[in-house]
Amino acid sequence: MTTAHTPNGRTHHTWWTCEPRRLHRDHAEITAQFPGLVWNEAGAGSWEGRLPRWPFERPEPEHLTAWIGEEGLLVCLEYSQAYPMVAPRLVPVDPLPEPFEWTQHRWHVNGDASLCLLRDDVWTGRESVVDLLLKAAGWRIEYALMKHQTIEQMTGSGIVTDDRLDHFLAQPPSPEDTTDHPELDTGGQDGPSC
């Protein structure tokens, strides 16, 4: 059992003190699917590391590495002490979204720079965090398509099971599309935040 001691002498138990089976489940599922992530039990706990560039069931598109490089998203999955009732935060570390992309519906990034991965879904506490990590891996690819101005907004359901964007990845990006395109800070004025 891991506990946190406060200056006033009170002892706070971590979420996994109350939910040890959920911690065991998360460890088993994450280490099986994403062995590059490392558990850190500081605070409410987190997983950090790099996701595979294509952890999906269908074949990887031929020119995916031309769009995102050899590696997938470097991410931090952060629990709160309210987990599993409250979904964990997934924060992209590399690439790190630019501040003007935060809170904009089309980038799927919240105002605190965490990913908005539950737009049309509801978190009940029974879902697997692996599903969120898969969505984060897909976000990395859609982010590259956005940065290359190939698409104007990310898909609603993500690309985990939706192959509608795969044809873009079957060919390399156009040379003129590989430069970074600066945008004005719209402060989320182009639509609702996630």
Side-chain angles (χ1 to χ4, degrees):
M1 175 186 313
T2 302
T3 56
H5 299 282
T6 63
N8 63 10
R10 292 184 179 175
T11 301
H12 296 283
H13 297 282
T14 58
W15 63 264
W16 58 82
T17 302
C18 301
E19 300 281 351
R21 288 188 296 180
R22 183 58 189 241
L23 177 65
H24 178 74
R25 172 187 164 186
D26 284 10
H27 272 263
E29 291 179 351
I30 291 173
T31 55
Q33 182 100 16
F34 301 104
L37 299 186
V38 177
W39 167 248
N40 179 349
E41 69 174 27
S46 63
W47 291 89
E48 298 178 42
R50 196 168 293 278
L51 301 175
R53 69 172 181 260
W54 189 263
F56 315 125
E57 293 184 4
R58 62 187 187 278
E60 178 180 311
E62 184 177 0
H63 290 282
L64 177 63
T65 57
W67 291 85
I68 69 168
E70 295 290 334
E71 299 182 306
L73 178 67
L74 183 61
V75 68
C76 179
L77 182 151
E78 299 175 347
Y79 294 104
S80 72
Q81 297 296 0
Y83 183 80
M85 292 310 297
V86 174
R89 294 174 68 236
L90 279 91
V91 180
V93 177
D94 182 26
L96 178 65
E98 299 181 55
F100 76 83
E101 296 162 351
W102 302 4
T103 74
Q104 292 190 44
H105 182 72
R106 65 195 186 105
W107 293 93
H108 292 198
V109 182
N110 295 310
D112 63 356
S114 66
L115 299 180
C116 176
L117 301 173
L118 294 170
R119 291 185 54 219
D120 299 324
D121 301 324
V122 175
W123 178 266
T124 67
R126 293 187 294 273
E127 295 79 3
S128 172
V129 291
V130 165
D131 292 339
L132 295 177
L133 291 165
L134 287 169
K135 288 183 177 183
W139 176 90
R140 168 64 186 105
I141 296 166
E142 290 197 60
Y143 186 74
L145 293 170
M146 290 284 289
K147 296 299 273 187
H148 286 86
Q149 298 185 342
T150 303
I151 58 175
E152 294 183 358
Q153 66 178 24
M154 295 186 174
T155 60
S157 60
I159 67 168
V160 177
T161 57
D162 184 346
D163 64 357
R164 284 181 295 163
L165 301 179
D166 288 7
H167 68 281
F168 292 122
L169 308 168
Q171 53 192 343
S174 300
E176 64 269 14
D177 290 342
T178 58
T179 56
D180 194 24
H181 300 280
E183 296 188 33
L184 296 174
D185 181 357
T186 60
Q189 296 174 358
D190 70 334
S193 61
C194 292

